[in-house]
Amino acid sequence: MSFKPVILWTDALVYLLVAVIIVFAWYVRRNEHLRAPWRRVIRSASGMVSLTVLIFFIAVGLLDTVHLRPAVEKSNSANGERIYSVDVLSLFDLIAGPLRTRVEKTYSAPFAAYLYARETVELPDGKQVREFPRLEFGGAHLQDPETQLVADVVRRAGAGGGVGLLLWGVVVASLTTVLARRDGKNFLPALFNIWRGTTEVPWKAICGMLALILLLLGAALALCGYYHIFGTDKVGQDVFYQSLKSIRTGLVIGTLATLMMLPFALFLGIMAGYFRGWVDDVIQYLYTTLSSIPSVLLIAATVLMIQVYIETRTELFDTIAARADLRLLFLCIILGVTSWTGLCRLLRGETLKLREMEYIQAAQAFGVSHWRIVSRHILPNVMHIVLISTVMDFSGLVLAEAVLSYVGVGVDPSTISFGTMINAARLEMAREPMVWWALLAAFGFMFALVLSANLFADAVQNAFDPRVKILPAKAGILPHRRRREESKGKSVSSTVEDSF
Amino acid sequence: MLNYIVRRVLYAIPILIGVNLITFTLFFVVNSPDDMARMQLGIKRVTPEAITKWKQERGYDKPLMFNDTEEGYAQFTHTIFFEKSAAMFAFRFGRADDGRDIAHEIKTRMVPSLAIALPVFLLGLGVYIVFALIMVFFRATYVDFWGVVLCVALMSISGLFYIIGGQFLISKLWHLVPISGYGSGPDAAKFLVLPVIIGVVSGAGASIRWYRTIFLEEMGKDYVRTARAKGLPESIVLFRHVLRNAMIPILTGAVVVIPLLFLGSFIAESFFGIPGLGSYTIDAINSQDFAVVRAMVFLGSLLYIVGLLLTDISYTLVDPRIRLE
Amino acid sequence: MSPLLRIDNLETVLHTGSAPVWAVDGLTLHILKGETFALLGESGCGKSMTALSVMRLLPEAGEIIAGSIRIGEEDLLLLPEAAMRGVRGKRISMIFQEPMLSLNPVMTVGDQIGEVLKRHFNLRGLLAQERILEILNQVGISDASRHMTEYPFQFSGGMKQRIMIAMALAGEPDLLIADEPTTALDVTIQAQVLDLMRDLQQRAGMAILLITHDLAVAAQMAHRVAVMYAGEIVETAMREDFFSGPAHPYSQKLFDSLPGKAKRKQGLRLAAIGGNVPPLSREFVGCRFADRCDHAWELCHEIAPRWSVVASGHQVRCHLFNKDATQGIEGPEFPSRGLEAGVHDLERSEGDESQPSLSSESRISHPCLLSVTGLKVYFPIHKGLMKSTVGYVKAVDDVSLKIQRGKTLALVGESGCGKTTVGKGILQLISPSAGSVRYNGVELVGLERNRLRKMRAEFQLIFQDPYSSLNPRMRIIDIIEEGMNALRIGKDSNAGTAGDQSGVPKGRKVDALLDSVGLPPETKWRYPHEFSGGQRQRIAIARALAVNPKLIICDEPTSALDVSVQAQILNLLKDLQANLKLAYLFITHNISVVEYIADEVAVMYLGRIVERGSVDEVLDNPKHPYTQALLSAVPVIDVESKRQIIRLRGDLSSPANPPTGCHFHPRCPHVMPICRKTYPETSMFSSTHTARCYLYPPEQDPE
């Protein structure tokens, strides 16, 4: 199958972000003092467990970022020229093809074999009955759903979960082998170490989380080919598919909005703090003015205006996806522009403090240029603030997207996101009996994403923020110390200081 | 001190002008009135006459900044900038698309907004501080640990979920209070209970955790050790010494939002069908009523600036170091 | 007599990071009623943790795991927390090091004292008021009725410490624990507070546990002294015994590392203790001091010494004094020496040839390297509606000084007198408001930015705080090379010879620099956090030296360091001066450092130099009343001498609003009517010694 790769604006920025993260990781690996706080993150059980969850979200999001336009087979293409579909699909869409294409007529409940709404069906004998018709795809393989459904679901879920656990076993075994080889131990002691939780990295917690994820994932994958595990929405689309698609939108907004504001906040914050005087006055005026407009209103007003701009210039975009994508990008930019003020203020304050540090004065006494002082002395020393605020902002932005989409100033209605899902499902609240699954699926996925992001952010903050003191759990009974008289031994110098 | 306050008031003026310029740019420069007319009328039905009529109805048919068809002051006053933007300083917001006077709407809708936002604010502040103090009192124990975990979990739930969940559980399932609506007088209470509770709960996670951090930071200071060295019991240390110092950042952080309470809550009001400013704004956004949105942006900024001013004043009240210097 | 406080085998642990830190390890001591007991030690030796253990006020991470603390017959460690609260503030009170941080900023002083009365005596209302007034009067706060309704920020540092003392006294305690009570204060204020404490103790008959790092403070205050090292007490003795003959090698080293006039006159190097205090998280086998001890032998590394008795009441924890352990090595080989003996000993062992003779003749002939005339640095005060300038803080007001090549000028003064601003004004890090700074004949004030930059290699700066003076995100090599890169040093020299400009030669220069400050070359790949305070200060010196300066402005380079480390740095600075012919402007408040290192002294008070001259002239024969008071306020170790001590009243005035006439007149014991009117002219006592005071006739022909 041939296709034409498409790089949307947000895709390009996501690639850029990934590249930045890779470069950053490579740089950190080379510098011991940068590695130290990350090591604290790695040791935090809650941080690593949430990271494990996040990685699955990120994997889905990245798959959903690689966009392409498949070729359309045209029967009468005489000149052999390929025509590409106007639909922009992502790698994820291709993988989840069945989920995407198997659309029912309208609502159906999770694991249902029947539609949620009565329909007038013409029986073979010509009589017309109003009944719940069978779904076209969900549970279509069953002869008699009434009796077989539960057993079939359990069987398939069990099989899928079993495969998941098998995979988990393989992963744990290879992990243990790697660890054992690294430490020069045998397999069993290494496994035992993991089991007892005595490893430096909390492998036990990670493996536990991984087991849960793989179990659920295995079961879900095994089932979703035969059922709509989260039901379908008004136009019969699979809710599970929509939930997975929403992940990318959430991730893009959570990361790109910050990426957009970083240059502003960094540049202006450091300028204001370093040069003080009128530069400071101007920048302070700028951010006080911007931040004095309540952010929801500013975002709403700006999005409205962008909407007008886009809709009066439809000729600029060749696909719907491109248009929706541009709106997503603008939303990120707007969220970034309205939220840079907080970070800017923080950075200004920190720079004001830093510029009084004696090492900066020493640099000034050498006649080092302002540019070099900022880039070598100030920038590296404020990076932890940038990092902390980036991870802390992420979850807030994901939540904000839902609210904004609900208000009607969020993403394009054609973009699948948690907000648009909730917005669509909300209208059915009053329906009797209630259509609850779309709401619950959206909230559930969002909760998992935001909670793991929050926990990870906490771990990062604890590791990087010098002000956060970790209260050590008071060990009531210490492992009793060996008495000094015991035997002679050489004193081991534990820090550099003792060696000279 | 008076000097200080006067200076802060004077400082607010350029900020308001800045806000005005931003809104003006946003509403009239990014898209010309013609664009807005085309958008509102629908791309298909658009005719030059319809656009002119649309602009005339709203008073958008004048030049932006400078009117060379007029003479004297009118060159500047008969412009969109003067009539639409500068007029806001006199609270002349003009008319909404449905022909009603925006200023009048704002006045009548403030009350319901305040009826929800004020109880949420006061109740919230009290509840959050109490919970934060409890967690600090039991710091480094399981109470504190699970409290923080609960806070993080609460923070991770979308605000929409609290509203939808609350409506479903309390109104639909248990039929305790009406799902939505608003009444006046004592009747209003039954409509307000649910939104207020949900308002308090949805802000709980973040606020409690934030207050706890402030308290803990304060607990680490030297004067706390001094207080303990006097033999004071932990409760007095906490309530008399720590609380009083921690109230400085907490109160001043809270004072900023007091004026903004007039704007109400966007989401809650529209969910609960309360005729406040929040739902007014949402409706305006959905119907793309630019005049209303513009008025609300200006009003919101004005209230925020008043909040900043109040913060400065409240600093002088709670902190003797600022009061007496 | 049964002791008031008795601590037995106290072990306190801090759970920080990976390994638990044994902050106090098996500490035993007792304090008698009405006695002052000084616990001496360098930073990190566990003395503050001992005090907090007694109060049971350890930080969250701290835990007492063994031992007993008895007051009278009661074991404090067995008391329930509620009963312990009855002890705190009542039987035992405590005052802390930082009076600025130790008082609640939003409560009035009266309320804070009243809390104690209410808690322990249930005194309220008028009765409490009266008692508060009485206590405030006792601690020497005049106009107490007004001051008791004021907030802590309205008081100066010394006054705050008085209020802390008042709060501690309010419970009428049997024992007062004073944790470095005067470390954060200026010498003249320190003298006031120490006097007050001694006075109160004699009147109230309470015992004091004085925790200090300052030998001289202990010498002035204590009845008995204990020296703490690495979590345990290594020596305990009566004051007289200890100061006339410290026994433990560590104690002796502490004495020898004190700078002072005697050591300079003999051209001596200070005895520095090599290395650092070992981390208390590690296991100890043998004596904890063995690694740094000159007298250690195998036994010291293998078995921890037990207590040996030197004389009655004088015990030491050292194998040298253990008859069984030393066998052949009897006491005489290692006598307990007095201070003088120590000095002579040192002279023998460290007679350094490179040390320049510091005779007074050689001082005059040198050409002048830096000459500052009429330097003024004013900071505008903005006030009012439009933030208009209503006045100036005259941080530096008409300061003139000269430094000769290869010489040291010490600029002495209390905090806030503007001495640091002088340094920055000279370096043009702050642009002066008026005056001229001529370096080698080139006027620096108003010099164009690029030309000034070229000059910057000539004069460099060393800071006080070794922790904020190095960028934590840069490797040592980058820190040292920064100045070389900025000023293109090292590039010019090898540009013609080698194509690779930034290559080997510069690297070799860094190695050489590190070597010259006593650090091995491989340290250049490390980051600052891996070094101790003294090592960081060495790196900072290497950084300054990298650009081959001729003048270094040292801004309190040793005041954040322990005495033993201070000695290392002072030795290093002296060596460098001798080898590289450096001139120093040495800014400090520490008179004994001045005595040791300076050739000339200038004394600053509120932005002006009140007296200057050669070090002997000024320190031996001070003319200005302020200099006299400053010198007499410095606590000295010599317990025998009964000096006439001049006590100054009040605090330093604000430089924003200095007193009219002579700035010093409100505190001056010799104040005359004329002092209040105009600032005095210069009086000359010799070609080098001048002062500005009306007590002396003004100079005949002003320069």
Side-chain angles (χ1 to χ4, degrees):
Chain A
M1 191 177 127
S2 61
F3 57 85
K4 176 175 154 189
V6 178
I7 296 185
L8 301 172
W9 272 103
T10 53
D11 297 348
L13 288 168
V14 169
Y15 295 144
L16 176 70
L17 187 69
V18 171
V20 166
I21 290 173
I22 290 172
V23 170
F24 181 70
W26 175 76
Y27 182 71
V28 166
R29 275 191 71 82
R30 291 184 52 230
N31 289 279
E32 173 53 35
H33 70 296
L34 293 175
R35 239 165 36 200
W38 283 108
R39 204 169 286 140
R40 284 199 289 273
V41 175
I42 288 172
R43 282 182 200 151
S44 133
S46 66
M48 289 316 280
V49 166
S50 49
L51 186 64
T52 317
V53 180
L54 278 180
I55 284 173
F56 274 84
F57 280 115
I58 291 169
V60 173
L62 284 180
L63 277 180
D64 205 5
T65 295
V66 185
H67 282 108
L68 43 87
R69 282 163 75 174
V72 179
E73 302 304 328
K74 254 198 167 176
S75 50
N76 58 349
S77 63
N79 46 5
E81 196 183 308
R82 279 220 177 77
I83 313 255
Y84 295 99
S85 151
V86 286
D87 282 342
V88 175
L89 295 180
S90 72
L91 220 51
F92 173 79
D93 287 331
L94 295 179
I95 295 168
L99 282 180
R100 182 171 60 92
T101 50
R102 295 191 309 177
V103 177
E104 307 289 347
K105 281 212 190 76
T106 181
Y107 292 111
S108 68
F111 295 112
Y114 296 95
L115 214 57
Y116 201 60
R118 275 178 216 275
E119 244 178 32
T120 313
V121 178
E122 198 165 330
L123 293 178
D125 54 7
K127 270 204 286 185
Q128 290 194 335
V129 217
R130 280 189 65 77
E131 58 158 28
F132 298 106
R134 281 289 294 270
L135 291 178
E136 228 171 300
F137 302 101
H141 61 291
L142 299 175
Q143 300 292 323
D144 178 18
E146 309 273 322
T147 53
Q148 296 171 327
L149 186 105
V150 176
D152 188 60
V153 167
V154 170
R155 194 171 52 79
R156 286 179 193 281
V163 173
L165 281 184
L166 210 65
L167 190 66
W168 178 73
V170 173
V171 170
V172 171
S174 42
L175 171 79
T176 317
T177 319
V178 169
L179 285 183
R181 186 162 304 166
R182 197 194 60 190
D183 301 344
K185 276 197 227 147
N186 281 330
F187 182 81
L188 277 178
L191 190 65
F192 189 61
N193 268 351
I194 293 178
W195 173 247
R196 282 201 316 177
T198 50
T199 46
E200 198 177 339
V201 179
W203 286 118
K204 184 185 177 186
I206 295 175
C207 288
M209 195 67 220
L210 204 62
L212 188 68
I213 294 174
L214 288 176
L215 187 72
L216 290 177
L217 202 67
L221 287 181
L223 285 168
C224 70
Y226 300 91
Y227 298 96
H228 299 292
I229 55 173
F230 288 154
T232 55
D233 73 350
K234 189 170 185 177
V235 292
Q237 262 209 334
D238 191 274
V239 173
F240 183 52
Y241 170 73
Q242 287 183 332
S243 308
L244 290 175
K245 284 288 278 184
S246 301
I247 291 170
R248 175 182 185 263
T249 318
L251 288 175
V252 163
I253 286 183
T255 51
L256 290 194
T258 317
L259 192 71
M260 293 289 162
M261 72 157 181
L262 272 189
F264 289 99
L266 265 177
F267 181 73
L268 293 178
I270 292 179
M271 288 269 286
Y274 184 75
F275 290 107
R276 299 190 294 191
W278 66 268
V279 179
D280 188 19
D281 289 341
V282 169
I283 292 171
Q284 275 201 67
Y285 171 72
L286 202 65
Y287 73 60
T288 317
T289 306
L290 257 184
S291 64
S292 67
I293 306 176
S295 56
V296 182
L297 283 169
L298 183 59
I299 293 166
T302 321
V303 172
L304 270 186
M305 288 304 119
I306 297 297
Q307 227 165 304
V308 174
Y309 187 88
I310 290 177
E311 294 207 6
T312 49
R313 288 165 185 79
T314 32
E315 68 280 0
L316 292 177
F317 314 100
D318 50 354
T319 58
I320 302 172
R323 211 179 75 183
D325 180 74
L326 201 71
R327 206 172 140 176
L328 179 64
L329 179 68
F330 271 118
L331 185 66
C332 291
I333 294 175
I334 293 162
L335 283 171
V337 167
T338 52
S339 63
W340 66 273
T341 54
L343 181 62
C344 183
R345 192 174 310 189
L346 272 181
L347 289 175
R348 172 180 169 270
E350 187 68 17
T351 309
L352 274 177
K353 241 185 283 165
L354 282 176
R355 83 185 298 282
E356 299 304 322
M357 293 298 263
E358 290 173 343
Y359 57 82
I360 304 237
Q361 287 179 27
Q364 283 167 347
F366 284 126
V368 176
S369 65
H370 292 311
W371 164 244
R372 283 186 75 83
I373 289 181
V374 166
S375 63
R376 279 168 67 98
H377 292 288
I378 293 183
L379 199 60
N381 282 300
V382 297
M383 280 321 276
H384 69 281
I385 296 183
V386 173
L387 185 77
I388 290 172
S389 80
T390 307
V391 291
M392 298 289 266
D393 281 354
F394 174 83
S395 51
L397 288 165
V398 174
L399 291 177
E401 185 274 330
V403 172
L404 291 177
S405 294
Y406 166 76
V407 175
V409 290
V411 295
D412 193 86
S414 70
T415 308
I416 300 172
S417 80
F418 294 125
T420 48
M421 276 175 79
I422 293 168
N423 204 12
R426 185 182 67 87
L427 301 172
E428 304 304 322
M429 272 279 289
R431 206 184 150 102
E432 223 35 85
M434 217 173 116
V435 176
W436 47 267
W437 47 86
L439 269 181
L440 211 62
F443 281 131
F445 268 77
M446 202 157 62
F447 180 65
L449 175 62
V450 173
L451 182 64
S452 44
N454 271 334
L455 289 174
F456 183 66
D458 256 21
V460 170
Q461 195 189 14
N462 282 335
F464 280 84
D465 195 341
R467 282 184 315 147
V468 176
K469 284 189 208 101
I470 314 126
L471 291 177
K474 228 184 247 183
I477 311 142
L478 275 162
H480 215 76
R481 193 162 77 144
R482 277 174 289 139
R483 289 285 83 187
R484 266 152 265 138
E485 300 89 66
E486 228 175 52
S487 69
K488 71 168 198 176
K490 57 180 195 291
S491 57
V492 188
S493 60
S494 53
T495 58
V496 183
E497 296 154 19
D498 297 307
S499 53
F500 9 97
Chain B
M1 207 180 100
L2 190 71
N3 255 344
Y4 171 77
I5 292 169
V6 172
R7 200 168 62 240
R8 302 305 299 180
V9 172
L10 290 181
Y11 184 60
I13 293 172
I15 293 178
L16 264 182
I17 294 174
V19 169
N20 201 286
L21 281 177
I22 291 176
T23 44
F24 175 75
T25 316
L26 213 53
F27 282 92
F28 295 105
V29 180
V30 173
N31 295 294
S32 66
D34 284 22
D35 287 336
M36 291 197 290
R38 234 173 272 144
M39 163 85 185
Q40 283 254 302
L41 297 169
I43 309 290
K44 288 178 190 127
R45 296 180 277 123
V46 74
T47 59
E49 294 78 41
I51 292 178
T52 318
K53 184 164 168 282
W54 188 89
K55 291 201 309 192
Q56 242 163 13
E57 278 171 4
R58 288 164 179 76
Y60 295 162
D61 52 347
K62 301 197 172 70
L64 279 183
M65 302 286 281
F66 183 78
N67 192 343
D68 49 10
T69 61
E70 304 282 339
E71 275 172 23
Y73 292 127
Q75 284 190 334
F76 300 98
T77 53
H78 283 209
T79 57
I80 293 182
F81 178 74
F82 188 82
E83 290 187 355
K84 297 294 166 195
S85 264
M88 289 208 189
F89 285 103
F91 296 106
R92 291 210 310 273
F93 297 122
R95 292 184 177 279
D97 280 351
D98 57 10
R100 293 194 213 173
D101 182 40
I102 298 175
H104 176 75
E105 284 285 302
I106 289 176
K107 249 179 259 162
T108 51
R109 282 169 174 270
M110 261 183 186
V111 182
S113 277
L114 215 53
I116 294 187
L118 195 64
V120 169
F121 172 76
L122 293 176
L123 199 65
L125 198 61
V127 169
Y128 303 155
I129 288 177
V130 168
F131 273 95
L133 276 175
I134 291 175
M135 280 164 69
V136 170
F137 193 80
F138 291 104
R139 67 192 170 284
T141 65
Y142 279 111
V143 176
D144 186 33
F145 176 78
W146 287 110
V148 173
V149 170
L150 188 68
C151 281
V152 174
L154 285 178
M155 274 167 70
S156 308
I157 297 173
S158 167
L160 296 172
F161 181 80
Y162 286 111
I163 297 177
I164 294 175
Q167 278 187 332
F168 176 73
L169 213 66
I170 295 177
S171 301
K172 206 160 170 183
L173 224 55
W174 299 339
H175 299 287
L176 293 179
V177 289
I179 276 196
S180 64
Y182 184 75
S184 52
D187 203 28
K190 71 173 185 224
F191 292 105
L192 293 180
V193 175
L194 187 59
V196 168
I197 291 176
I198 287 172
V200 171
V201 172
S202 60
S207 303
I208 294 177
R209 207 166 77 121
W210 166 236
Y211 291 164
R212 174 182 168 272
T213 316
I214 293 180
F215 285 135
L216 278 184
E217 206 164 289
E218 213 56 48
M219 291 290 279
K221 296 205 171 148
D222 281 0
Y223 71 84
V224 176
R225 193 176 55 185
T226 311
R228 293 202 185 115
K230 290 183 198 169
L232 298 177
E234 195 63 16
S235 55
I236 290 192
V237 172
L238 206 56
F239 283 99
R240 195 183 296 159
H241 290 266
V242 174
L243 186 59
R244 229 195 254 184
N245 279 284
M247 279 320 267
I248 296 174
I250 289 178
L251 269 188
T252 46
V255 166
V256 181
V257 302
I258 290 178
L260 288 178
L261 297 177
F262 285 101
L263 287 188
S265 151
F266 298 89
I267 310 297
E269 284 183 17
S270 80
F271 263 103
F272 291 106
I274 288 154
L277 281 178
S279 54
Y280 187 52
T281 316
I282 297 272
D283 293 345
I285 291 170
N286 284 329
S287 62
Q288 302 194 326
D289 191 333
F290 303 109
V292 176
V293 177
R294 214 175 58 231
M296 294 308 294
V297 169
F298 184 78
L299 186 69
S301 325
L302 183 70
L303 291 174
Y304 180 81
I305 290 165
V306 172
L308 286 183
L309 213 60
L310 288 180
T311 310
D312 288 332
I313 295 171
S314 69
Y315 257 125
T316 64
L317 294 180
V318 289
D319 194 339
R321 283 164 288 191
I322 293 178
R323 178 171 62 225
L324 298 170
E325 247 164 22
Chain C
M1 192 159 91
S2 74
L4 174 72
L5 177 81
R6 173 160 217 121
I7 303 177
D8 281 307
N9 281 317
L10 179 71
E11 289 187 29
T12 300
V13 173
L14 288 174
H15 304 282
T16 51
S18 45
V21 173
W22 247 259
V24 182
D25 197 356
L27 178 130
T28 300
L29 62 82
H30 66 274
I31 299 175
L32 303 177
K33 210 167 162 14
E35 167 185 68
T36 301
F37 185 92
L39 197 54
L40 263 169
E42 293 183 289
S43 54
C45 72
K47 48 193 198 305
S48 287
M49 283 301 141
T50 309
L52 292 173
S53 300
V54 173
M55 292 294 277
R56 280 179 48 190
L57 282 176
L58 289 169
E60 303 264 349
E63 190 184 6
I64 301 170
I65 55 164
S68 72
I69 300 172
R70 283 171 212 284
I71 185 145
E73 283 309 305
E74 221 162 11
D75 189 342
L76 297 182
L77 298 185
L78 300 179
L79 285 181
E81 178 62 23
M84 187 63 208
R85 280 189 214 117
V87 174
R88 286 186 206 128
K90 176 80 188 72
R91 303 198 64 187
I92 312 175
S93 294
M94 186 159 177
I95 54 179
F96 300 95
Q97 175 171 356
E98 286 286 349
M100 339 317 198
L101 303 175
S102 298
L103 291 166
N104 188 338
V106 301
M107 269 170 96
T108 63
V109 163
D111 283 352
Q112 295 192 49
I113 299 172
E115 265 186 341
V116 183
L117 300 174
K118 194 176 148 203
R119 170 73 182 83
H120 295 295
F121 302 100
N122 207 15
L123 268 185
R124 284 155 209 268
L126 274 180
L127 280 176
Q129 294 270 342
E130 273 169 33
R131 178 77 183 117
I132 294 169
L133 283 180
E134 193 186 322
I135 299 167
L136 283 177
N137 279 325
Q138 256 181 16
V139 296
I141 290 180
S142 53
D143 200 1
S145 54
R146 182 169 63 87
H147 283 309
M148 64 183 280
T149 58
E150 288 186 342
Y151 291 90
F153 74 93
Q154 290 164 300
F155 294 85
S156 66
M159 293 281 266
K160 278 186 203 152
Q161 197 60 299
R162 283 170 191 271
I163 289 161
M164 279 300 291
I165 294 172
M167 220 147 69
L169 285 180
E172 296 163 22
D174 301 329
L175 174 67
L176 174 69
I177 301 178
D179 186 0
E180 304 267 14
T182 56
T183 307
L185 307 175
D186 281 317
V187 264
T188 53
I189 311 294
Q190 161 168 305
Q192 294 172 359
V193 171
L194 290 181
D195 275 352
L196 173 69
M197 284 175 61
R198 204 169 11 208
D199 183 46
L200 289 171
Q201 184 198 24
Q202 276 158 12
R203 270 196 277 159
M206 65 183 172
I208 295 181
L209 171 57
L210 176 71
I211 288 167
T212 182
H213 69 281
D214 192 332
L215 286 167
V217 168
Q220 295 215 321
M221 296 289 292
H223 299 121
R224 278 198 305 135
V225 177
V227 179
M228 221 175 151
Y229 183 78
E232 60 180 24
I233 292 181
V234 294
E235 178 169 2
T236 163
M238 297 303 287
R239 171 182 54 172
E240 291 75 15
D241 295 341
F242 180 74
F243 287 98
S244 57
H248 197 281
Y250 174 65
S251 315
Q252 291 175 346
K253 279 281 191 184
L254 279 184
F255 278 97
D256 295 347
S257 59
L258 283 180
K261 207 184 320 182
K263 292 186 185 145
R264 181 181 61 92
K265 284 203 171 136
Q266 290 148 357
L268 286 179
R269 290 168 62 83
L270 299 172
I273 308 180
N276 294 85
V277 179
L280 294 172
S281 51
R282 83 173 212 210
E283 294 259 348
F284 287 101
V285 178
C287 174
R288 293 177 184 211
F289 188 61
D291 292 343
R292 303 170 71 190
C293 185
D294 296 341
H295 308 282
W297 71 97
E298 309 91 73
L299 183 68
C300 299
H301 291 284
E302 284 159 14
I303 295 171
R306 291 169 190 281
W307 284 109
S308 311
V309 176
V310 178
S312 99
H314 191 170
Q315 291 176 303
V316 63
R317 198 178 266 210
C318 179
H319 287 309
L320 286 170
F321 298 89
N322 185 347
K323 304 267 180 336
D324 309 330
T326 45
Q327 292 154 4
I329 321 165
E330 287 277 307
E333 201 272 337
F334 191 81
S336 56
R337 314 169 298 180
L339 189 52
E340 283 312 299
V343 169
H344 290 306
D345 217 34
L346 262 164
E347 192 176 30
R348 184 159 40 81
S349 60
E350 308 204 26
D352 196 330
E353 299 305 316
S354 70
Q355 204 63 36
S357 68
L358 294 166
S359 55
S360 52
E361 305 95 300
S362 62
R363 218 171 279 156
I364 299 154
S365 55
H366 282 285
C368 180
L369 184 66
L370 177 83
S371 119
V372 178
T373 33
L375 185 72
K376 292 180 182 172
V377 182
Y378 291 177
F379 299 111
I381 307 167
H382 297 291
K383 247 194 183 147
L385 214 55
M386 300 315 292
K387 289 268 180 197
S388 51
T389 311
V390 294
Y392 291 94
V393 175
K394 298 178 177 177
V396 177
D397 195 9
D398 199 9
V399 162
S400 304
L401 45 86
K402 283 189 173 64
I403 301 176
Q404 275 146 7
R405 218 173 273 277
K407 291 292 163 193
T408 303
L409 170 70
L411 193 56
V412 186
E414 293 178 286
S415 56
C417 73
K419 53 192 192 301
T420 296
T421 314
V422 171
K424 288 186 184 160
I426 291 172
L427 289 180
Q428 305 301 307
L429 291 177
I430 299 175
S431 50
S433 314
S436 106
V437 177
R438 296 181 85 80
Y439 176 85
N440 233 348
V442 182
E443 176 62 56
L444 298 183
V445 177
L447 196 63
E448 186 236 338
R449 198 180 142 85
N450 269 331
R451 289 191 56 207
L452 180 65
R453 207 167 131 180
K454 289 200 186 94
M455 296 283 294
R456 284 199 179 279
E458 296 284 311
F459 35 88
Q460 275 305 314
L461 192 58
I462 303 171
F463 298 96
Q464 168 176 3
D465 184 358
Y467 290 88
S468 79
S469 66
L470 304 179
N471 185 345
R473 310 260 177 226
M474 279 163 79
R475 288 175 309 181
I476 304 310
I477 182 167
D478 299 324
I479 289 173
I480 293 175
E481 280 183 351
E482 177 169 47
M484 294 154 77
N485 291 338
L487 298 171
R488 313 200 175 279
I489 295 199
K491 270 193 184 163
D492 294 341
S493 59
N494 64 329
T497 54
D500 183 13
Q501 294 196 344
S502 58
V504 187
K506 205 201 277 170
R508 208 175 289 153
K509 169 137 200 215
V510 173
D511 292 353
L513 280 166
L514 284 172
D515 185 53
S516 69
V517 296
L519 291 173
E522 58 276 15
T523 50
K524 69 182 170 192
W525 303 114
R526 300 222 169 99
Y527 285 92
H529 69 90
E530 299 173 57
F531 297 91
S532 68
Q535 288 168 338
R536 283 159 176 253
Q537 209 57 297
R538 288 170 188 268
I539 294 164
I541 293 171
R543 170 176 62 186
L545 291 178
V547 295
N548 309 321
K550 284 282 159 281
L551 167 71
I552 296 186
I553 295 184
C554 309
D555 188 356
E556 306 255 16
T558 60
S559 61
L561 307 174
D562 282 318
V563 270
S564 61
V565 183
Q566 164 173 296
Q568 299 171 6
I569 300 296
L570 290 180
N571 284 340
L572 174 65
L573 287 173
K574 273 210 141 177
D575 290 350
L576 291 171
Q577 181 165 51
N579 296 336
L580 303 171
K581 292 278 168 285
L582 294 174
Y584 293 134
L585 173 61
F586 206 94
I587 298 169
T588 185
H589 67 276
N590 189 332
I591 302 291
S592 58
V593 170
V594 174
E595 284 174 333
Y596 179 68
I597 201 161
D599 299 305
E600 285 183 82
V601 182
V603 181
M604 242 183 127
Y605 187 81
L606 272 190
R608 295 190 179 213
I609 291 181
V610 295
E611 179 165 3
R612 71 175 201 249
S614 73
V615 64
D616 296 329
E617 287 167 338
V618 175
L619 298 186
D620 293 345
N621 191 13
K623 296 291 187 188
H624 197 280
Y626 175 65
T627 317
Q628 292 167 352
L630 190 67
L631 292 178
S632 81
V634 177
V636 288
I637 291 180
D638 198 353
V639 270
E640 308 306 327
S641 79
K642 285 278 165 267
R643 300 173 302 154
Q644 173 63 40
I645 292 175
I646 307 161
R647 289 289 175 253
L648 289 182
R649 293 162 289 160
D651 292 311
L652 209 64
S653 315
S654 152
N657 189 16
T660 54
C662 175
H663 292 345
F664 186 60
H665 84 253
R667 301 173 76 191
C668 184
H670 308 289
V671 61
M672 298 177 283
I674 188 165
C675 299
R676 300 199 171 89
K677 295 208 179 80
T678 46
Y679 203 85
E681 287 301 315
T682 313
S683 312
M684 276 195 116
F685 309 102
S686 76
S687 64
T688 50
H689 192 184
T690 60
R692 300 187 77 166
C693 181
Y694 284 116
L695 291 175
Y696 311 100
E699 176 178 26
Q700 300 308 314
D701 49 342
E703 285 178 279

